[in-house]
Amino acid sequence: MDLVQRRGAPGAVLIWLLLLSSALPWLAMAGDTVQDDDTAPKIPGCANNFVLVKVQTWVDGHEDAEFVGVGARFGVPIESKEKRANRTKLSLADPADCCTPPSKVAGDVLLVHRGSCKFTEKARAAEASGASAILIVNHRKELYKMICDQNETDLNINIAAVMLPKDAGISLEKLLKAGHSVSLQLYSPERPAVDTAEVFLWLMAVGTILCASYWSACSAREASIEHEKLLKDGHEAAFVNAQATGGSGVVDINMLSAILFVVAASFFLILLYKLMSYWFVELLVVLFCIGGVEGLQTCLVALLSLWFKHAGESFVKVPFFGAVSYLTLAVSPFCIVFAVLWAIYRRLSFAWIGQDILGIALIITVLQIVRLPNLKVGSVLLGCAFLYDIFWVFVSKWWFHESVMIVVARGDKTDEDGVPMLLKIPRMFDPWGGYSIIGFGDILLPGLLIAFALRYDWAAKKNLRGGYFLWSMVAYGSGLLVTYVALNLMDGHGQPALLYIVPFTLGTFLALGRKRGELKNLWTRGEPHRVCTHMHSHPQATTTE
């Protein structure tokens, strides 16, 4: 049995990209501002949250670089409002590790090396010398969470303690040793409850599924009309032959492929996690560009064909590619240049626009090509994806000591800002910056079910209220909205979006089908019952939807 019953899809690249992109079906914000750690329990005098801290510097009275550190479990909490944070002079500790009481300072912030003694000992020594806060420089580029020993009792520390990464500490130390006057401000701003980026990302996801569903339904209706014409003219054999040779340009997912799809996605995710590196991300960028070019080309050709119908229906033979329309030849160079320019300049602040355009075009094209034949296959696919999402975001921590999905999506171990198989929008009113992101899988997989709903509604001649499409769209939008609420309640910790979306969409579809008495037909046939008067020699031939 073939994994997919392919009927003339415009390229295997899109199907491959579907697998790659759906290996990342999660939604998250930029780095968390509050980071809990169950391995570092809170005790009296050592019960602060681990918070990210902005360290804004001034050199010789002029505003300079801003660094990011992490606050300690002990000491006074970091001020959250920038206007309330004092600008304080920075001094080098003497001795540098502050394991013994340093020279007296008058309210300065002390810059201290990470040494052999406890963090709490450094903080107590700095406080005794008159320091107002202590910056401890880590010996690595990464940040480290400063905790207390379980048996410590003297934890009445009344100054703030912040860990800085190695490169930030070296930079500040060089300035001080060169005789510059350095002052700084420590504060930990809170994220807004809702950012406009989340609203636009929600509209982007819902709009993408809406466009893709209508395109899929229009294509299915055109195929149905063509089918009826062939039957009416007595060309049934020609229709069956066209179906067998790939005439309809559709890929129907079957039961086996729905299960193996998620297994293959898990394998690919592990591969990404283990081999994540600069060159591997570069390979993903190339694959994304290939799929993006094909998706953008398909969308533009379909759109421009409304005005340039003749160019879209006139073909020329091209080696390797076969028959290609003149419109496709005209559009292809633009699509290629667009993708190449994005790949070259993808690290610029506005490159997210190009990534989203390529991603949306790819998703819409895939949803037009790949289809669910019935609700049974859709339930298996979404059910497996539901478990996959939960496992790789939450359960994987037990085996890998970190969330595999989150590590891969962030692009850890690389210089990239995450993998490209994501839609993202910058958080415009967030003091911490970053992006709101959503994985392709969170749009593609529910989108398959919603597109199936609209095709069924049109075939059954149902209106919006009496059909399944409207309620499936409402359910998807609600599920995505609940995801954002959960994300904000968890202070930005990565959430598996399908954990909320699948119960909403699939649950709504199943409940409506059962209530209307159509569940059996939706579950097995996936299309309304019809009386076929022209089918004689091939009664099994039906409209491909």
Side-chain angles (χ1 to χ4, degrees):
M1 181 189 300
D2 294 332
L3 293 186
V4 289
Q5 300 165 351
R6 184 169 178 186
R7 298 188 174 98
V13 173
L14 288 173
I15 308 305
W16 173 241
L17 261 293
L18 174 65
L19 176 62
L20 298 185
S21 59
S22 295
L24 298 167
W26 74 296
L27 181 145
M29 317 304 264
D32 309 335
T33 58
V34 177
Q35 306 172 1
D36 287 325
D37 190 344
D38 294 334
T39 62
K42 298 177 180 180
I43 58 177
C46 191
N48 294 338
N49 289 321
F50 293 115
V51 295
L52 294 180
V53 180
K54 284 182 179 286
V55 182
Q56 178 62 58
T57 64
W58 285 263
V59 178
D60 297 327
H62 300 288
E63 188 171 333
D64 203 67
E66 181 183 85
F67 305 106
V68 176
V70 63
R73 270 276 197 250
F74 53 86
V76 298
I78 307 295
E79 175 59 54
S80 62
K81 302 291 184 182
E82 181 181 5
K83 61 184 179 181
R84 295 179 186 170
N86 296 322
R87 189 191 299 187
T88 311
K89 183 182 177 183
L90 180 68
S91 301
L92 280 174
D94 183 19
D97 62 3
C98 203
C99 288
T100 56
S103 304
K104 291 288 182 180
V105 292
D108 293 357
V109 176
L110 279 183
L111 187 67
V112 176
H113 289 181
R114 182 177 176 181
S116 56
C117 61
K118 297 176 182 178
F119 296 123
T120 51
E121 290 179 17
K122 296 176 186 290
R124 277 194 291 267
E127 184 181 3
S129 72
S132 61
I134 182 172
L135 291 183
I136 300 176
V137 181
N138 197 13
H139 50 63
R140 295 180 180 177
K141 289 185 178 181
E142 296 81 16
L143 291 171
Y144 184 86
K145 295 176 180 177
M146 297 185 290
I147 61 174
C148 314
D149 287 344
Q150 287 283 1
N151 56 359
E152 286 191 86
T153 55
D154 184 17
L155 292 174
N156 186 26
I157 298 171
N158 297 306
I159 63 172
V162 176
M163 170 73 74
L164 279 181
K166 180 180 180 180
D167 50 355
I170 291 174
S171 176
L172 291 173
E173 188 173 358
K174 284 182 178 178
L175 288 170
L176 291 171
K177 287 183 175 179
H180 294 285
S181 173
V182 180
S183 58
L184 49 80
Q185 196 177 33
L186 303 176
Y187 63 104
S188 179
E190 297 176 354
R191 280 207 161 100
V194 179
D195 192 274
T196 52
E198 297 170 10
V199 177
F200 284 114
L201 199 62
W202 185 90
L203 291 172
M204 191 185 295
V206 171
T208 299
I209 291 180
L210 191 67
C211 293
S213 298
Y214 271 95
W215 187 9
S216 178
C218 287
S219 300
R221 184 155 64 180
E222 288 175 6
S224 179
I225 293 171
E226 186 67 26
H227 179 200
E228 294 296 331
K229 276 186 181 179
L230 289 171
L231 292 178
K232 188 175 181 180
D233 296 340
H235 297 142
E236 182 185 340
F239 173 78
V240 174
N241 184 59
Q243 288 286 87
T245 57
S248 67
V250 175
V251 177
D252 277 350
I253 301 175
N254 58 32
M255 284 287 291
L256 181 60
S257 63
I259 297 170
L260 292 185
F261 177 80
V262 177
V263 174
S266 295
F267 172 78
F268 180 72
L269 187 66
I270 295 174
L271 192 68
L272 281 176
Y273 177 72
K274 293 295 185 182
L275 301 180
M276 182 62 72
S277 60
Y278 172 79
W279 70 265
F280 203 84
V281 174
E282 293 295 312
L283 176 61
L284 291 181
V285 168
V286 172
L287 290 174
F288 174 72
C289 286
I290 294 171
V293 166
E294 194 159 0
L296 187 59
Q297 172 188 287
T298 303
C299 291
L300 287 177
V301 168
L303 188 63
L304 293 174
S305 293
L306 299 175
W307 294 280
F308 306 99
K309 192 172 183 180
H310 180 71
E313 294 177 349
S314 302
F315 294 86
V316 62
K317 259 197 167 182
V318 177
F320 184 73
F321 293 101
V324 179
S325 70
Y326 286 104
L327 193 55
T328 301
L329 288 177
V331 166
S332 294
F334 167 77
C335 298
I336 293 170
V337 169
F338 186 89
V340 169
L341 286 176
W342 171 81
I344 294 172
Y345 298 107
R346 66 184 183 276
R347 293 181 181 86
L348 297 180
S349 60
F350 55 83
W352 62 272
I353 300 173
Q355 180 171 328
D356 288 352
I357 291 173
L358 291 172
I360 289 172
L362 175 60
I363 292 170
I364 290 176
T365 303
V366 170
L367 286 177
Q368 196 272 333
I369 295 168
V370 181
R371 298 181 183 177
L372 295 175
N374 53 48
L375 189 55
K376 178 170 67 173
V377 174
S379 298
V380 171
L381 179 64
L382 287 176
C384 290
F386 173 79
L387 297 174
Y388 163 89
D389 219 3
I390 294 172
F391 180 86
W392 290 111
V393 173
F394 293 138
V395 184
S396 61
K397 294 179 182 179
W398 298 348
W399 280 276
F400 299 92
H401 307 294
E402 57 187 350
S403 174
V404 172
M405 186 79 76
I406 293 176
V407 168
V408 171
R410 279 198 312 239
D412 292 3
K413 306 175 187 176
T414 72
D415 294 327
E416 298 283 344
D417 185 20
V419 295
M421 283 75 175
L422 301 164
L423 299 185
K424 62 182 187 178
I425 296 179
R427 294 177 60 83
M428 291 167 276
F429 301 104
D430 190 333
W432 290 99
Y435 294 88
S436 289
I437 63 176
I438 184 170
F440 285 0
D442 297 326
I443 303 174
L444 276 170
L445 299 179
L448 289 170
L449 184 67
I450 295 170
F452 164 74
L454 185 58
R455 292 196 305 272
Y456 184 89
D457 287 355
W458 282 18
K461 296 181 171 54
K462 291 178 177 288
N463 59 31
L464 272 179
R465 288 189 63 184
Y468 296 92
F469 171 71
L470 174 63
W471 307 114
S472 297
M473 282 298 305
V474 170
Y476 176 77
S478 301
L480 192 55
L481 186 63
V482 170
T483 305
Y484 281 116
V485 172
L487 203 58
N488 285 305
L489 289 176
M490 299 293 181
D491 196 61
H493 288 271
Q495 292 291 299
L498 294 183
L499 170 64
Y500 308 98
I501 293 172
V502 170
F504 270 81
T505 52
L506 191 57
T508 298
F509 212 128
L510 292 170
L512 279 177
R514 182 179 178 85
K515 181 180 178 181
R516 296 169 178 174
E518 297 177 332
L519 185 56
K520 185 176 180 181
N521 191 49
L522 286 164
W523 189 259
T524 54
R525 286 173 52 85
E527 59 183 17
H529 288 289
R530 295 175 181 173
V531 178
C532 300
T533 57
H534 300 283
M535 299 172 66
H536 303 292
S537 58
H538 296 278
Q540 75 278 11
T542 56
T543 302
T544 301
E545 297 189 31

